[in-house]
Amino acid sequence: MLKNCLFIIGLIAITNCTLAQKDTIIPKKRYDTKRLQGAITLDGVPNEAAWDQVAWGGDFTQWQPNEGKAPSHPTNFKILYDNRYLYVAYKCYDAAPDSIVKRMGRRDDFPGDFVEINIDSYHDLRSGFSFTTSVSGVRGDEFISNNGSNWDQNWNPIWSAKTAVNKEGWTAEIRIPLSQLRYGNEKDKVWGIQVMRRIFRKEERSTWQYIPQSSGVWVSSFGELHGLKDIPFHRQVEVAPYVTAQVASYKKEPGNPFADGTDTKISGGVDGKVAVTNDLILDFTINPDFGQVEADPSQVRIDGFQNFFDERRPFFIESRNIFEYQLTGSEAGGDYDADLLFYSRRIGSSPHGYPNTSNGEYVKYPQNTSILGAAKFSGKTKKGWSIGILESVTEREKAEIDNNGKRRKELVEPLTNYAVARLQKDINGGNTIIGGIFTAVNREHGLDNMLHRGAYSAGIDFLHYWKNRSWFVRGNVVYSSVNGTKEVILNTQTAFEHLFQRPDAKGLTLDSNRTSLTGTGGTIRFGKIAGNPGKKGQILKFETGVTYRSPQLELNDIGFMLTANEINHFTWVGLQYQRPVSVFRNARINYNHWLRWDFGGRLLYTQFNMNTGGTFNNNWQAGTSVTWNPYDVSNTALRGAGALRKPGGLGWNAYVNSDYRKKFSVGVNAFKFWAEDNAIGYNNATLTLSYVPINALTISLSGSYDYNWRSQDQFVENVKYNNIARTIVAGVYQKTIRFTGRLSYNLTPDLTIQYYGQPYLTRPTYRRFAYVVNPLADKYNNRFLPYQSNQISENNGSYLIDENRDGVTDYSFGKPDFNFVQFRSNMVVRWEYKPGSELFVVWSSGNTSDKFDDLQTPVFSSLFNNAFSGGNGRNIFLVKWTYRFLR
């Protein structure tokens, strides 16, 4: 198997070297600006005399779909500046102005026809600032990094835009404060710029500076803006105090002094930005409130792995690309088992502890750990140094317990400090990048039997491009160290991510006297991500590499790691048609394979995948994939009782999406996995509907249904029988239903109403209980010994086992079946009443059903009977007002 994979990798490299052509160098365009003389009224119509100081830029080239050809309609632009602002004017010609699509959306939705300018004011050829203006007046802004590989929509500068439609098409004017950009102190500046226009009804994009899609780059190939002279340094100072008022209503609990049905809260805080230099910004927040943030989707797993939730809080998502550091992460073809050294959701998460209580006591428990404050210092210097430092402190949290009127408090989360430092250096114009990261978590005493006192990680990384950035090699090495009491470090060794107690774990020793644990990890990968296309616009790309995680690696105090003790090999090869070919606007064919071993040398996993997809000329999309998983061994499935061989199988996926430009669009996705002897089955069907009845209103609804089963190998519990370990497993049949509804309505580009709602149900039911006898046996049925009917009985929510059939219960375990139903929703009215200042009115509703044993009701009936009533329903009404002071 390994020899075959190495042969494929070598063949790919040889083929690419053989077919390599001389790269085409596209000359860079130049636009000359001038200092503004006179005045500009920002009304979307560039008819002021001041605009006559400079010539119109134009001569755009189509980028999609017919790359390299002339666009359907021409686009022109002008740029002026003064000591405070950069001004840009656009003329977007259109022979059919009535056909211009004026859809609206919230900021950063990028709806309908738009035009945007990308500005590399650092002129580092790697990063930039993007400002997008739709014909409907909706603004979008992104921070571009890694030469166009990352676009951060969470960067929200303060700037202004106006548009107007006329008989020749549409026009726009934008005004960008220079304080929102970062630049050096040269007297005469040269910035990189790119202007792009989108014609929505044709799904056509054209650019001022032609950059072939096959080049694999973006910022480094921008055209140049000349003529910027004597621009002063603007020390950006923004302070935004806020006030929130909140009322929560829920079901009153008789006798519980903490649950009278209503909670109220008034709080305040401050957010701010301070430009320390031209290049470096200090962001801070004191007592932040994130009540306007959309709720996390419901998610339940029964495989032991932790859930991953995206960061949604504004302070942490803005500029987060600076702090990103993945143990793995693909340059092309998607991510593979990526772990994070910094996962910001750890800051302000739910408390780890719970108070000791007795019958008759009531508890007031904090849902989240309060963030006292946070600050981040970030930016990039003219000499190519990227700097990111983040510091946050979370509150000491206590639960309050009532015992017949007597109150006491118990610690459930200690005062904690989180710190992250990230440093990168561009060399040779960004063709070589070296960097490093350091993270630290320090906690006060209090929960020493539960949490690490200190947790630290560090890493160094490099990335090198050659042959006009077509080829790359990158790698990193990480180190982790955690310390605490013997009890805590023993818990770490035996946790799901490590499982040192496995009897078949070669080279691992469970040491109950340890007070620290150190581990390492690393990745090396290389590939080809660009090059000159063939006659039909095709380009062959690939990536291959190896990553490892030592058994002792531990990142989860401030990072995210699913499991340690793995060595992974991965390869991706893709043939991409980036120009129209036959019935396609674009198309792709991909091959992937993955192999995994543990540090004891055991082969754990092999998987091979072929997939293809494309966009048709009518803008419909379709694709399919086939995955073969011939071998699968899990070190975690039995929760420390040993490795378990799982059935191999074959998976198939297909999807079809209609033209999303239409007022009504639909998407269908289906997935099915078959295993040997029908031992495992995964089935999913997803339907997504979207409707845009008017330009200002978008409604979407998606529904998915999963029916999965494992006929015998689902873990239930580890027990002892006559001092012999018994690992109990069962067949599990799990049904999951999820509906997600969204509504977005724009009264104006700056006043929006958005709704999100999701009812969710998952129901695993267990049958055919057995215990493991030979977990690595070749035959599936030889791995388990099922209990006979005279060995197992059910009583009051537990299963009683009489293994030796002597009429006496030898051991027992709880009935694992459950019915989990939850509903989560948010409605947010957002009004940006002046640039940077906002008013939020929020209604959040959530309910978790208490009918966990409702196993007989059909799943769809159970979902709609229980999601919206009963249980632990809670409604929160919140008003948040912010006012941004600018200097």
Side-chain angles (χ1 to χ4, degrees):
M1 182 72 70
L2 180 58
K3 288 182 179 179
N4 292 337
C5 294
L6 292 174
F7 172 77
I8 292 171
I9 296 167
L11 182 61
I12 294 165
I14 293 170
T15 302
N16 274 278
C17 293
T18 303
L19 298 178
Q21 305 172 27
K22 185 177 180 180
D23 292 324
T24 302
I25 305 299
I26 307 295
K28 289 194 174 187
K29 286 187 172 183
R30 170 174 172 156
Y31 184 87
D32 289 282
T33 184
K34 292 182 179 179
R35 182 177 290 273
L36 173 65
Q37 303 295 326
I40 292 176
T41 301
L42 200 74
D43 57 6
V45 182
N47 57 3
E48 294 86 355
W51 286 115
D52 295 335
Q53 295 175 239
V54 291
W56 287 103
D59 191 23
F60 279 50
T61 303
Q62 196 171 152
W63 194 63
Q64 289 178 346
N66 298 300
E67 185 180 20
K69 295 185 178 181
S72 301
H73 305 287
T75 306
N76 290 352
F77 68 92
K78 288 185 175 183
I79 301 175
L80 291 169
Y81 72 97
D82 59 21
N83 281 346
R84 296 185 61 196
Y85 299 102
L86 190 74
Y87 303 87
V88 185
Y90 301 106
K91 281 188 177 180
C92 302
Y93 293 94
D94 198 311
D98 292 341
S99 299
I100 296 171
V101 179
K102 308 177 186 69
R103 288 188 184 175
M104 301 183 72
R106 190 170 174 174
R107 185 170 180 167
D108 295 333
D109 276 353
F110 309 103
D113 284 52
F114 67 66
V115 63
E116 75 176 29
I117 184 168
N118 301 165
I119 304 172
D120 177 14
S121 54
Y122 286 118
H123 208 217
D124 63 357
L125 308 181
R126 290 194 68 231
S127 59
F129 305 94
S130 178
F131 300 87
T132 306
T133 306
S134 76
V135 65
S136 58
V138 177
R139 291 168 296 144
D141 29 63
E142 298 168 288
F143 178 71
I144 311 167
S145 60
N146 293 340
N147 202 12
S149 296
N150 293 320
W151 294 69
D152 184 1
Q153 295 183 12
N154 303 297
W155 176 66
N156 289 314
I158 296 171
W159 60 290
S160 303
K162 294 292 183 180
T163 63
V165 179
N166 56 47
K167 63 181 180 180
E168 295 182 332
W170 64 283
T171 59
E173 292 178 308
I174 70 172
R175 183 177 61 212
I176 304 170
L178 293 172
S179 62
Q180 305 298 305
L181 303 175
R182 303 289 166 261
Y183 47 85
N185 55 8
E186 310 90 345
K187 180 179 176 64
D188 296 333
K189 295 176 174 55
V190 177
W191 292 354
I193 61 167
Q194 173 68 295
V195 181
M196 174 183 281
R197 179 185 175 186
R198 177 200 199 187
I199 302 176
F200 184 78
R201 68 182 184 274
K202 297 176 179 291
E203 194 48 271
E204 175 185 301
R205 301 191 185 213
S206 57
T207 59
W208 173 64
Q209 173 66 60
Y210 175 52
I211 303 175
Q213 296 181 57
S214 60
S215 67
V217 300
W218 187 245
V219 181
S220 60
S221 293
F222 281 3
E224 293 182 344
L225 176 64
H226 290 253
L228 299 164
K229 300 178 184 294
D230 299 317
I231 296 178
F233 165 55
H234 292 272
R235 186 176 296 279
Q236 179 185 10
V237 178
E238 301 176 13
V239 178
Y242 80 85
V243 176
T244 63
Q246 176 179 304
V247 177
S249 64
Y250 49 90
K251 182 179 179 181
K252 183 177 180 179
E253 185 178 343
N256 187 344
F258 301 123
D260 61 4
T262 304
D263 293 335
T264 59
K265 177 183 177 182
I266 297 178
S267 64
V270 178
D271 299 330
K273 286 179 181 289
V274 178
V276 180
T277 69
N278 281 38
D279 309 307
L280 302 172
I281 291 287
L282 174 67
D283 294 86
F284 64 89
T285 182
I286 300 173
N287 192 33
D289 180 272
F290 305 113
Q292 77 276 19
V293 174
E294 184 179 287
D296 289 320
S298 302
Q299 188 67 45
V300 176
R301 300 185 69 160
I302 61 173
D303 59 3
F305 291 99
Q306 58 182 312
N307 287 315
F308 180 90
F309 293 108
D310 289 331
E311 179 61 89
R312 302 174 188 271
R313 298 169 296 179
F315 177 84
F316 293 104
I317 56 179
E318 186 174 350
S319 303
R320 65 178 172 182
N321 61 290
I322 295 175
F323 299 96
E324 284 183 351
Y325 193 103
Q326 295 182 342
L327 179 56
T328 59
S330 182
E331 185 74 10
D335 291 343
Y336 174 62
D337 67 345
D339 291 335
L340 303 174
L341 265 67
F342 175 50
Y343 177 47
S344 56
R345 290 295 297 263
R346 302 294 185 197
I347 303 174
S349 62
S350 299
H352 291 86
Y354 197 84
N356 295 314
T357 60
S358 57
N359 290 335
E361 292 187 328
Y362 295 98
V363 178
K364 183 180 181 180
Y365 185 80
Q367 294 184 350
N368 295 98
T369 303
S370 301
I371 301 174
L372 296 176
K376 56 186 175 184
F377 178 72
S378 60
K380 186 168 188 177
T381 71
K382 187 64 179 177
K383 294 184 178 181
W385 287 99
S386 294
I387 301 169
I389 300 173
L390 184 144
E391 184 86 10
S392 182
V393 178
T394 56
E395 176 68 287
R396 180 186 301 110
E397 295 288 354
K398 294 184 177 181
E400 188 173 3
I401 303 99
D402 182 276
N403 188 336
N404 294 321
K406 294 182 180 180
R407 301 280 179 94
R408 71 179 189 276
K409 293 184 177 181
E410 293 187 18
L411 185 72
V412 292
E413 186 73 20
L415 184 74
T416 306
N417 177 265
Y418 298 86
V420 184
R422 180 79 163 107
L423 187 67
Q424 287 182 291
K425 177 68 169 70
D426 293 358
I427 302 171
N428 188 24
N431 285 315
T432 301
I433 305 157
I434 58 173
I437 190 173
F438 175 76
T439 74
V441 178
N442 290 289
R443 299 182 175 95
E444 69 173 359
H445 287 288
L447 292 181
D448 294 350
N449 62 337
M450 182 178 298
L451 298 173
H452 300 131
R453 282 293 313 282
Y456 311 96
S457 67
I460 56 174
D461 59 299
F462 74 91
L463 170 62
H464 177 65
Y465 295 104
W466 69 94
K467 201 171 179 55
N468 292 323
R469 304 197 180 202
S470 296
W471 293 76
F472 76 92
V473 59
R474 70 184 305 173
N476 59 31
V477 177
V478 302
Y479 167 86
S480 71
S481 176
V482 295
N483 63 72
T485 63
K486 294 179 180 180
E487 181 181 3
V488 166
I489 299 303
L490 179 62
N491 290 340
T492 302
Q493 295 176 80
T494 58
F496 180 85
E497 294 81 5
H498 303 280
L499 300 175
F500 281 20
Q501 70 274 28
R502 285 191 299 113
D504 57 352
K506 293 182 180 179
L508 297 183
T509 302
L510 185 64
D511 186 347
S512 60
N513 292 315
R514 298 188 71 155
T515 56
S516 65
L517 194 68
T518 60
T520 61
T523 301
I524 185 70
R525 64 204 317 139
F526 83 97
K528 179 178 180 290
I529 57 171
N532 283 350
K535 293 181 179 180
K536 295 184 178 181
Q538 77 274 19
I539 181 171
L540 184 68
K541 302 180 180 182
F542 83 96
E543 179 181 34
T544 187
V546 175
T547 183
Y548 83 93
R549 300 164 182 79
S550 75
Q552 298 84 8
L553 185 68
E554 174 54 52
L555 303 175
N556 283 324
D557 287 85
I558 195 173
F560 185 89
M561 184 186 76
L562 287 175
T563 185
N565 192 17
E566 288 186 351
I567 301 170
N568 299 286
H569 161 67
F570 51 91
T571 290
W572 163 76
V573 185
L575 181 63
Q576 300 180 356
Y577 292 83
Q578 298 172 326
R579 300 173 187 169
V581 54
S582 183
V583 298
F584 294 99
R585 289 169 64 101
N586 57 68
R588 63 194 177 277
I589 302 172
N590 296 302
Y591 164 81
N592 300 272
H593 71 243
W594 300 268
L595 293 89
R596 185 182 307 150
W597 300 262
D598 64 17
F599 269 63
R602 172 184 286 146
L603 177 65
L604 298 177
Y605 187 79
T606 59
Q607 182 168 295
F608 303 86
N609 168 269
M610 288 289 296
N611 64 83
T612 184
T615 302
F616 294 93
N617 290 327
N618 63 0
N619 220 52
W620 281 55
Q621 298 175 332
T624 188
S625 69
V626 176
T627 302
W628 179 41
N629 176 206
Y631 191 77
D632 189 355
V633 171
S634 172
N635 283 336
T636 60
L638 300 182
R639 312 301 196 270
L644 172 68
R645 183 170 179 179
K646 296 182 175 182
L650 189 69
W652 170 80
N653 170 262
Y655 69 89
V656 177
N657 298 320
S658 70
D659 186 353
Y660 61 84
R661 299 172 300 172
K662 306 297 184 182
K663 286 186 175 292
F664 179 78
S665 61
V666 60
V668 178
N669 186 288
F671 174 76
K672 186 172 182 63
F673 183 87
W674 302 267
E676 302 166 3
D677 301 321
N678 206 31
I680 296 176
Y682 298 139
N683 303 272
N684 168 268
T686 300
L687 175 67
T688 302
L689 307 174
S690 180
Y691 181 48
V692 185
I694 58 176
N695 284 327
L697 177 63
T698 301
I699 302 168
S700 67
L701 176 66
S702 67
S704 68
Y705 176 73
D706 292 83
Y707 179 46
N708 304 328
W709 72 81
R710 308 191 69 89
S711 65
Q712 192 65 83
D713 63 0
Q714 175 61 45
F715 174 81
V716 177
E717 193 168 335
N718 283 317
V719 300
K720 288 286 188 179
Y721 171 59
N722 292 335
N723 293 320
I724 299 174
R726 282 282 185 263
T727 299
I728 301 169
V729 293
V732 64
Y733 297 79
Q734 184 174 14
K735 298 178 180 179
T736 301
I737 307 169
R738 185 195 306 271
F739 292 99
T740 303
R742 294 184 184 274
L743 180 149
S744 179
Y745 180 64
N746 282 66
L747 285 81
T748 72
D750 298 315
L751 178 56
T752 61
I753 301 173
Q754 289 194 312
Y755 175 79
Y756 157 82
Q758 184 188 85
Y760 170 88
L761 174 146
T762 189
R763 178 189 291 176
T765 55
Y766 293 72
R767 310 172 192 169
R768 295 190 304 277
F769 293 92
Y771 61 88
V772 179
V773 291
N774 188 1
L776 297 177
D778 290 337
K779 296 288 186 178
Y780 184 73
N781 291 333
N782 292 341
R783 300 167 198 167
F784 320 102
L785 184 62
Y787 293 111
Q788 301 301 310
S789 58
N790 60 353
Q791 291 179 299
I792 184 170
S793 61
E794 182 182 352
N795 181 41
N796 197 26
S798 294
Y799 285 101
L800 310 180
I801 305 298
D802 178 14
E803 187 172 323
N804 58 11
R805 299 179 176 89
D806 63 357
V808 178
T809 298
D810 297 312
Y811 50 91
S812 64
F813 56 90
K815 185 177 181 178
D817 308 43
F818 64 87
N819 186 71
F820 180 84
V821 180
Q822 190 172 67
F823 174 69
R824 290 182 170 181
S825 70
N826 290 83
M827 178 175 283
V828 179
V829 179
R830 174 188 174 270
W831 178 31
E832 189 174 0
Y833 58 91
K834 62 167 292 187
S837 300
E838 298 171 311
L839 176 68
F840 294 95
V841 180
V842 182
W843 170 41
S844 298
S845 180
N847 180 56
T848 301
S849 171
D850 53 9
K851 296 183 179 180
F852 296 104
D853 57 353
D854 182 22
L855 301 172
Q856 302 304 317
T857 306
V859 288
F860 282 92
S861 298
S862 180
L863 174 64
F864 292 105
N865 290 343
N866 300 319
F868 308 105
S869 62
N872 302 304
R874 190 177 187 89
N875 288 280
I876 299 174
F877 300 91
L878 177 146
V879 177
K880 180 177 181 180
W881 173 82
T882 70
Y883 188 89
R884 189 171 298 270
F885 295 92
L886 304 176
R887 174 187 167 184

